[in-house]
Amino acid sequence: MASTLYIPRSPSVSGSLGLPLILGIAGVTILLAIFFGLIAVSANIILVALSVGLIVGALLVVRPGWNIWLILSMGLLVAGVLPIWVDFIATKAVWGISILGFVLLASALFKLIGVPGVARNTPAFIWAALIFLFFVVVGSLAQWHGAGEFLSGFKRYFQMWGLMFALCWLSIDERDIRRWRGFLLVAALVQLPFAVYELIKLVPLREGYASSMPGLVPIDVVAGTFGSYLYAGGASAEMATFLIIVLGFLLARKKEKQLSAARLFLLAPLVIAPLFLGETKVVVILLPLMFLVLYRREMIARPHYALAALAMGAVFTIAAGYAYSSLSKKSLDQQVADILDYNVYDRGYGNSLLNRTTVLTFWAEKQDMQDPISMVFGNGVGSAQSGATLAPGHIGMRYERYGIGLTAASTLLWETGLFGFGLFLLTSLLAWRTAGRLIRSVTDPLVRADLIAIQAAIAIFTFYLFYELSVLQILGFQIVFVSLLGYLAWLYRKYGPA
């Protein structure tokens, strides 16, 4: 009998599995094309920015390092300067950067949940931060006051937190860490030319508008790349804070003999020069705070060395104070009295009825002991947003002229209550403790220098909670905050206990 050769048939593309798959892909593609086409013709900048961020973010899911590069470069060098020339686009286009941050957040959380062993050696402050995130979400959903209030508030709080979790849980190479550290130094050096441009070109323009725009302070536009508006304020204090933190890293490395005196004397003037071009009075507090934290151990072990460093800090502080006081036509006594009036006493800050002190006492006065829920757990994320925002909160509208969200501390108290505010403070406290434990155990002097500088930065950020809202709102400032905490988490997983 002749044998018959059997040739197996390859699966047909139009088989039972292939055809539905092709039809599904085609259908999704058509729907996405229609969706993005409608967004494009709508000319809605927010929707366009969200769509671009979503597409780019999806492509970067498998390349978190590229995503981090985009966030750092766009967030620190681009997003803050766009409002000077294209305010109508810039304020909405930054939503695209926020989407990249949320993609990074999703990548980190998915890896934490899906890959065994990722959670091992996670520092306590990262767990506290994650608990705070889930608490904010659950508490806000339980007190639902609309999608606009929740989404805008959640975006403000956590748009950059993915950077912190990514540095902790994703596979980040040490070479990338070195490059990102170098980039942050470059970002600090870039502030000087931008600040000079703003001082020479934009301040005179704003001086011409000041007579017709009450409350406009021309010098406030000197904010480097952290955010300036031609007809409004600028993030000058945030730029100054970032530069003081970078100066702290340079001094810490010099202290640990990882930076030569020649390089310090070359870099430090370029870093601190923008502090003398604007009028950021908080510098006279932040500079001494940074020096005290940085050299606190030397005060006992090497008092002569500490005194020399503190004397240098005193010279910088006095020079900055003199530069700021010289910009005003008032006497020094009058300037000090004004500062105390709108920061400590009863005068409101700017156009608000409350200032940085009374905003806390006002919150305490308005708490009803018969309804402790809002006092302990808050009123939901976004609830304290003012009427000037895209989605004003229901508590913010109730006290619209008061400015209850003036600082991060008051905003956290209104929106997350004592429990949420305590969790946020606990995150900083545990981060300080983590850095302190590593300082005592690591032998690498460069790592020890960075840890000491991180502690100084944590002290500055904790003070800033009671000074401005920036850590919950300004994109560039949030990047600096979460980058430092993420870098600390990366150092803990690399050098901490196994």
Side-chain angles (χ1 to χ4, degrees):
M1 180 182 295
S3 61
T4 303
L5 179 65
Y6 172 73
I7 303 176
R9 295 179 60 189
S10 60
S12 173
V13 173
S14 60
S16 59
L17 293 177
L19 184 60
L21 179 62
I22 290 177
L23 291 176
I25 293 174
V28 171
T29 303
I30 293 172
L31 290 176
L32 286 175
I34 295 172
F35 174 71
F36 289 119
L38 291 174
I39 288 176
V41 299
S42 71
N44 188 310
I45 299 298
I46 291 181
L47 293 179
V48 171
L50 287 174
S51 302
V52 172
L54 186 61
I55 294 171
V56 174
L59 297 175
L60 294 174
V61 167
V62 295
R63 294 285 186 178
W66 294 3
N67 197 347
I68 292 174
W69 269 117
L70 277 176
I71 290 173
L72 291 177
S73 57
M74 299 293 289
L76 290 177
L77 299 182
V78 178
V81 297
L82 282 180
I84 299 175
W85 301 289
V86 283
D87 185 15
F88 65 98
I89 293 177
T91 54
K92 301 173 179 62
V94 294
W95 281 67
I97 305 175
S98 301
I99 287 293
L100 297 180
F102 285 122
V103 168
L104 204 56
L105 174 63
S107 299
L109 293 181
F110 283 143
K111 185 168 184 179
L112 173 68
I113 296 170
V115 179
V118 171
R120 190 180 306 155
N121 292 338
T122 297
F125 73 89
I126 291 292
W127 293 124
L130 186 62
I131 293 171
F132 174 78
L133 189 155
F134 283 117
F135 164 74
V136 167
V137 172
V138 173
S140 300
L141 294 178
Q143 305 182 71
W144 187 254
H145 289 280
E149 179 177 304
F150 171 76
L151 292 176
S152 62
F154 183 83
K155 179 257 180 188
R156 285 191 306 119
Y157 273 50
F158 303 112
Q159 57 187 340
M160 291 295 110
W161 278 45
L163 189 56
M164 173 175 59
F165 294 125
L167 290 173
C168 180
W169 290 320
L170 299 185
S171 300
I172 303 296
D173 191 83
E174 188 170 356
R175 290 175 298 178
D176 289 327
I177 294 293
R178 287 199 303 267
R179 290 166 183 161
W180 292 329
R181 284 195 313 237
F183 173 79
L184 290 176
L185 176 60
V186 171
L189 297 175
V190 164
Q191 302 308 308
L192 179 57
F194 275 95
V196 170
Y197 169 81
E198 290 156 355
L199 180 66
I200 295 175
K201 291 291 185 178
L202 302 184
V203 170
L205 284 176
R206 286 164 60 94
E207 287 174 345
Y209 303 139
S211 59
S212 59
M213 300 178 67
L216 181 68
V217 181
I219 199 68
D220 282 351
V221 77
V222 182
T225 64
F226 274 76
S228 298
Y229 297 85
L230 192 56
Y231 306 107
S236 55
E238 288 68 32
M239 176 198 70
T241 305
F242 170 62
L243 294 177
I244 291 171
I245 290 172
V246 172
L247 177 63
F249 272 83
L250 295 176
L251 291 173
R253 292 197 172 189
K254 174 63 178 68
K255 189 164 71 78
E256 295 294 327
K257 300 179 181 180
Q258 297 302 299
L259 184 68
S260 66
R263 288 194 175 185
L264 177 64
F265 291 138
L266 173 65
L267 294 173
L270 298 176
V271 170
I272 66 173
L275 303 182
F276 300 92
L277 300 180
E279 189 184 6
T280 310
K281 301 180 182 69
V282 73
V283 168
V284 300
I285 296 177
L286 298 184
L287 264 176
L289 178 61
M290 183 269 289
F291 274 92
L292 286 172
V293 175
L294 212 60
Y295 295 97
R296 67 190 188 279
R297 289 187 174 90
E298 280 72 15
M299 291 181 186
I300 299 175
R302 294 187 292 171
H304 62 284
Y305 182 85
L307 286 175
L310 293 176
M312 181 174 64
V315 170
F316 288 157
T317 303
I318 293 171
Y322 176 79
Y324 302 148
S325 63
S326 65
L327 295 174
S328 177
K329 297 179 180 179
K330 298 180 180 179
S331 67
L332 182 59
D333 291 342
Q334 290 176 318
Q335 293 181 58
V336 172
D338 284 344
I339 292 172
L340 291 175
D341 280 344
Y342 64 74
N343 282 290
V344 179
Y345 300 143
D346 295 329
R347 192 201 305 179
Y349 183 84
N351 296 323
S352 302
L353 296 177
L354 302 174
N355 61 42
R356 293 184 174 100
T357 300
T358 56
V359 75
L360 299 176
T361 58
F362 182 79
W363 172 84
E365 292 170 0
K366 294 300 177 180
Q367 301 312 302
D368 187 357
M369 298 306 296
Q370 296 181 347
D371 180 25
I373 298 297
S374 62
M375 180 177 68
V376 178
F377 300 111
N379 299 278
V381 67
S383 60
Q385 294 178 124
S386 67
T389 58
L390 186 65
H394 67 284
I395 301 295
M397 288 189 293
R398 183 188 306 173
Y399 303 109
E400 188 169 358
R401 296 180 59 242
Y402 287 83
I404 60 172
L406 178 63
T407 66
S410 65
T411 300
L412 287 168
L413 286 171
W414 280 106
E415 296 186 352
T416 67
L418 289 171
F419 186 77
F421 182 56
L423 273 177
F424 200 96
L425 285 179
L426 180 63
T427 301
S428 296
L429 178 63
L430 292 175
W432 173 284
R433 183 171 174 267
T434 298
R437 291 177 61 188
L438 284 178
I439 289 170
R440 293 188 293 271
S441 62
V442 296
T443 57
D444 189 336
L446 190 146
V447 173
R448 189 164 55 247
D450 285 358
L451 290 168
I452 295 170
I454 287 174
Q455 282 194 322
I458 291 171
I460 289 174
F461 280 118
T462 302
F463 167 83
Y464 221 85
L465 292 177
F466 300 89
Y467 179 73
E468 287 284 3
L469 181 60
S470 312
V471 76
L472 301 179
Q473 185 174 43
I474 295 182
L475 185 80
F477 199 69
Q478 289 178 319
I479 289 175
V480 178
F481 174 65
V482 297
S483 295
L484 288 173
L485 293 183
Y487 178 41
L488 175 60
W490 185 87
L491 290 174
Y492 180 83
R493 290 174 68 90
K494 182 176 177 61
Y495 297 99

